[in-house]
Each structure stands twice: as structure tokens, then as C-alpha cells.
């Protein structure tokens, strides 16, 4: 199972998923990734913890494999997505709203 809406993700541990990231600049225009740009999705139990999972992509689609999501703990956690441009600028695209927020739920696998 994989659902993504309103900045929240629900995923079953061990499943595959593809997350398309729509990048918009401050003026409302769509940002098109350039060669050398990288998106990174990191999942943590709490915002201050080390990442349980980190996946990078050089396109607007971040693909999660069963091996990636098998690393996740069942329960509530948080994810963030950052864009690092080829010029070295870093932009947080999605993240928790505060130090106590969770924006992701990992469900147990059916096995």
C-alpha cells in the first residue's frame, strides 16, 4: 500500500513506491530539474534522529524499492525531501512542521 496526499505518506513496510515531486518556485513557476540536480528523501523516527532510509534521485520521481522500505520501523515517523542544485544551493521541499510532527505512517508488511 502506498498513499501520498496533503504532504503525508502511508506505506507498507517492504513495498515499492514511486513519488513524483512537483517543484514550484516562489513566484509560482514550475522548476524543472537540471542535469546535476539531486532530490533526496530521508525518513527519520523523529526530526532530530539519524535517517532510517535515504534515497536520492536525479529526476522528479523518487523510487523506493522493497529493500529501501524494509529498513523502516513500523509506526509514525517523518520524512523530508531536499533539492540540491548543481550550483550547490539546497532547498527543503517537504519536511515536518515542527520538532514533534510526523508526516509518515509505516504499516506492517503482510508476511
Amino acid at each position: 500500500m502506498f498513499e501520498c496526499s496533503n504532504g503525508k505518506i502511508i506505506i507498507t513496510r517492504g513495498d515499492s513506491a514511486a513519488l513524483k515531486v512537483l517543484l514550484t518556485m516562489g513566484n509560482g513557476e514550475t522548476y524543472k530539474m537540471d542535469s546535476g540536480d539531486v532530490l533526496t528523501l530521508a525518513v527519520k523516527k523523529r526530526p532530530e534522529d539519524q535517517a532510517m532510509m535515504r534515497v536520492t534521485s536525479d529526476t522528479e520521481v523518487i523510487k523506493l524499492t522493497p529493500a529501501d522500505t524494509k529498513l523502516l520501523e513500523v509506526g509514525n515517523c517523518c520524512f523530508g525531501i531536499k533539492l540540491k542544485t548543481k550550483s550547490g544551493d539546497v532547498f527543503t521541499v517537504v519536511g515536518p512542521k515542527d520538532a514533534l510532527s510526523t508526516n509518515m505512517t509505516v504499516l506492517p508488511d503482510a508476511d
Side-chain angles (χ1 to χ4, degrees), residues 7-13 42-50 52 71-80 96 99-108:
K8 295 188 179 196
I9 291 176
I10 299 172
I11 190 166
T12 300
R13 186 173 186 257
V43 179
K44 302 175 179 183
K45 191 66 178 169
R46 293 182 311 265
E48 68 273 8
D49 292 346
Q50 293 292 322
M52 292 184 273
L71 301 172
L72 300 175
E73 293 180 30
V74 172
N76 292 326
C77 53
C78 58
F79 77 97
L100 302 176
S101 292
T102 59
N103 58 1
M104 184 171 183
T105 301
V106 179
L107 304 173

Side-chain angles (χ1 to χ4, degrees), residues 6-108:
N6 299 321
K8 295 188 179 196
I9 291 176
I10 299 172
I11 190 166
T12 300
R13 186 173 186 257
D15 279 6
S16 300
L19 181 65
K20 183 167 184 169
V21 181
L22 303 175
L23 301 168
T24 306
M25 297 186 294
N27 62 6
E29 291 183 26
T30 299
Y31 178 82
K32 180 150 174 58
M33 287 182 62
D34 201 358
S35 177
D37 290 353
V38 176
L39 283 173
T40 301
L41 177 138
V43 179
K44 302 175 179 183
K45 191 66 178 169
R46 293 182 311 265
E48 68 273 8
D49 292 346
Q50 293 292 322
M52 292 184 273
M53 181 185 79
R54 189 178 309 274
V55 177
T56 61
S57 177
D58 59 0
T59 72
E60 289 90 357
V61 177
I62 300 172
K63 294 180 182 176
L64 307 179
T65 67
D68 294 327
T69 63
K70 197 71 170 170
L71 301 172
L72 300 175
E73 293 180 30
V74 172
N76 292 326
C77 53
C78 58
F79 77 97
I81 299 174
K82 290 191 177 194
L83 168 67
K84 183 173 182 181
T85 66
K86 68 179 179 181
S87 63
D89 291 322
V90 177
F91 301 96
T92 299
V93 178
V94 176
K97 302 294 182 205
D98 56 51
L100 302 176
S101 292
T102 59
N103 58 1
M104 184 171 183
T105 301
V106 179
L107 304 173

